[in-house]
C-alpha cells in the first residue's frame, strides 16, 4: 500500500523494477550505439566490399589476361621448343658435317705441312745457291763497275780526242777553202788592176769597161762566198765543241767561173 513491498512476480526485492529500467535504458543506449557502430561498420563494409569487388573484378581481368598470356607463353614455348629441337637436329647434322670437314682439313693440313717441309728444304738449297751466285755476281759486278769506270774515262778521253780531231779537220777544211778563195780574189784583183791600168788610155777604155765590171762582180761574189764559208765553218766548229754529232762535212762552195 505504501509501495514498500516487492511487486511480485516482477520484483524479488524492493527496487528490482527500477534497476531493470535503468539496465534497460543502459541496454537501449548500448543497443543504439551498437546499431550506430553496425551502421558505420555496414557502410564501411559496403565500401570495402565495393572496393574488394572492384579489386576482384580487376584481379579476374588480370587473371584472364595472365591466363591468355600464359596460353600465349605456352604456345610460344611449344613453338620455341619445336624450333630448338629443329635447331638441335640441324646443329647435330652441322656438327657431324663439321667433324668430317675438320678431318678433311686435318688431312689436308698434314699434306701441306709435308709440302712445306719439302719446300723449305728446296728453299734452303735455292737460297744457298742464290747466295753463292749473288756473291759471284757481286764480285763480277765490282769488276764490271771498274771496267765501266775505266771505259767511261777512256770514252771521255776518246770523245775529247774526237772533238779535237773534228775541230782540227774542220779548221783545215776552212783554211783550205779560205786559202783557195783568197787566192782567187788576189788573182782577180791583180787582173782588175792590170785592166784598170790598160783602160787609162781613152781608146781602150770603152773596150775594157765590160771586162772591168765582170771582174769586179766576180771579186764581190767570191768575197761573199769567203764570208759565208768562214761563218759556216765557225758554226760547225762551235757545234762540235758543244758536243754535237754528224757535223763533220764540208761546206758547199760555189765555184764562180772567172770572166
Amino acid at each position: 500500500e505504501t509501495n514498500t513491498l516487492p511487486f511480485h512476480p516482477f520484483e524479488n526485492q524492493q527496487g528490482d523494477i527500477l534497476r531493470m529500467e535503468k539496465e534497460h535504458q543502459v541496454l537501449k543506449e548500448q543497443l543504439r550505439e551498437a546499431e550506430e557502430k553496425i551502421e558505420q561498420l555496414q557502410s564501411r563494409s559496403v565500401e570495402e566490399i565495393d572496393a574488394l569487388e572492384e579489386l576482384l573484378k580487376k584481379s579476374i581481368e588480370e587473371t584472364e589476361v595472365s591466363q591468355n598470356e600464359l596460353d600465349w607463353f605456352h604456345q610460344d614455348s611449344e613453338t620455341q621448343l619445336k624450333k630448338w629441337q629443329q635447331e638441335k637436329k640441324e646443329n647435330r647434322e652441322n656438327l657431324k658435317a663439321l667433324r668430317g670437314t675438320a678431318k678433311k682439313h686435318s688431312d689436308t693440313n698434314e699434306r701441306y705441312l709435308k709440302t712445306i717441309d719439302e719446300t723449305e728444304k728446296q728453299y734452303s738449297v735455292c737460297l744457298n745457291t742464290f747466295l753463292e751466285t749473288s756473291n759471284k755476281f757481286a764480285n763480277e759486278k765490282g769488276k764490271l763497275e771498274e771496267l765501266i769506270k775505266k771505259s767511261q774515262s777512256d770514252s771521255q778521253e776518246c770523245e775529247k780526242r774526237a772533238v779535237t780531231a773534228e775541230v782540227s779537220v774542220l779548221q783545215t777544211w776552212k783554211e783550205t777553202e779560205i786559202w783557195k778563195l783568197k787566192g782567187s780574189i788576189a788573182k782577180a784583183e791583180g787582173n782588175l788592176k792590170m785592166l784598170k791600168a790598160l783602160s787609162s788610155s781613152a781608146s781602150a777604155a770603152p773596150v775594157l769597161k765590160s771586162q772591168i765590171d765582170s771582174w769586179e762582180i766576180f771579186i764581190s761574189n767570191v768575197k761573199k762566198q769567203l764570208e759565208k764559208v768562214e761563218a759556216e765553218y765557225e758554226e760547225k766548229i762551235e757545234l762540235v765543241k758543244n758536243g754535237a754529232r754528224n757535223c763533220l762535212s764540208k761546206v758547199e762552195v760555189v765555184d764562180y767561173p772567172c770572166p
Side-chain angles (χ1 to χ4, degrees):
E1 293 175 357
T2 57
N3 197 20
T4 56
L5 295 174
F7 183 51
H8 292 287
F10 302 104
E11 289 183 328
N12 293 322
Q13 293 180 2
Q14 181 69 29
D16 284 343
I17 293 175
L18 291 175
R19 285 197 304 274
M20 291 178 63
E21 287 181 352
K22 290 180 180 178
E23 291 175 358
H24 182 67
Q25 290 295 329
V26 171
L27 290 172
K28 283 178 71 177
E29 183 66 24
Q30 290 178 352
L31 179 61
R32 186 182 64 78
E33 292 178 354
E35 288 177 349
E36 290 179 354
K37 289 182 179 178
I38 288 171
E39 289 178 356
Q40 292 176 356
L41 288 173
Q42 285 179 345
S43 177
R44 285 203 301 273
S45 297
V46 169
E47 293 177 355
E48 290 177 356
I49 289 169
D50 291 338
L52 290 173
E53 287 178 350
E54 184 68 24
L55 182 62
L56 179 61
K57 182 179 179 182
K58 186 176 181 182
S59 298
I60 291 171
E61 291 176 353
E62 292 178 352
T63 303
E64 291 176 353
V65 172
S66 298
Q67 185 63 38
N68 293 330
E69 291 179 350
L70 183 61
D71 294 337
W72 295 339
F73 176 75
H74 283 312
Q75 293 177 359
D76 186 65
S77 297
E78 290 177 358
T79 304
Q80 293 293 332
L81 180 61
K82 291 179 181 179
K83 184 179 179 181
W84 179 78
Q85 289 176 348
Q86 182 66 26
E87 290 178 352
K88 184 178 179 181
K89 182 179 178 182
E90 292 176 355
N91 288 334
R92 284 179 179 175
E93 294 177 354
N94 291 333
L95 180 61
K96 185 178 179 181
L98 287 173
R99 284 176 178 172
T101 306
K103 187 175 184 304
K104 187 184 295 183
H105 287 333
S106 177
D107 296 339
T108 305
N109 190 29
E110 289 179 359
R111 289 198 304 271
Y112 284 161
L113 288 174
K114 291 180 181 178
T115 305
I116 289 170
D117 290 337
E118 294 176 357
T119 306
E120 285 181 349
K121 292 178 182 178
Q122 294 176 0
Y123 172 76
S124 297
V125 174
C126 292
L127 180 61
N128 293 329
T129 305
F130 170 76
L131 291 175
E132 292 176 359
T133 307
S134 178
N135 293 330
K136 181 179 178 182
F137 284 162
N139 294 330
E140 292 180 357
K141 181 183 177 183
K143 294 178 181 178
L144 288 174
E145 287 178 350
E146 291 295 329
L147 289 174
I148 288 170
K149 289 181 181 178
K150 186 175 182 301
S151 297
Q152 287 177 346
S153 178
D154 294 341
S155 176
Q156 291 175 357
E157 186 64 28
C158 289
E159 286 181 0
K160 290 180 181 179
R161 290 201 302 271
V163 169
T164 304
E166 289 184 9
V167 169
S168 177
V169 170
L170 291 172
Q171 190 72 31
T172 301
W173 287 347
K174 183 187 78 168
E175 292 175 355
T176 301
E177 294 297 335
I178 289 174
W179 177 79
K180 288 180 180 179
L181 292 172
K182 285 184 176 181
S184 298
I185 292 170
K187 288 179 181 180
E189 286 179 346
N191 292 332
L192 181 61
K193 185 178 180 181
M194 182 183 65
L195 289 173
K196 285 182 178 181
L198 292 174
S199 65
S200 59
S201 62
S203 60
V207 178
L208 299 176
K209 178 69 170 63
S210 60
Q211 293 186 18
I212 291 171
D213 293 338
S214 297
W215 280 105
E216 287 179 348
I217 294 171
F218 174 78
I219 292 170
S220 176
N221 291 331
V222 174
K223 285 183 178 180
K224 290 178 182 179
Q225 186 69 20
L226 175 63
E227 293 175 356
K228 173 178 173 296
V229 169
E230 189 173 8
E232 290 186 7
Y233 271 115
E234 287 295 332
E235 183 180 0
K236 284 178 176 290
I237 290 170
E238 288 299 322
L239 289 173
V240 170
K241 288 181 178 179
N242 292 328
R245 296 291 183 268
N246 300 324
C247 294
L248 193 62
S249 61
K250 289 184 177 183
V251 175
E252 185 178 357
V253 179
V254 178
D255 188 9
Y256 292 103
C258 294

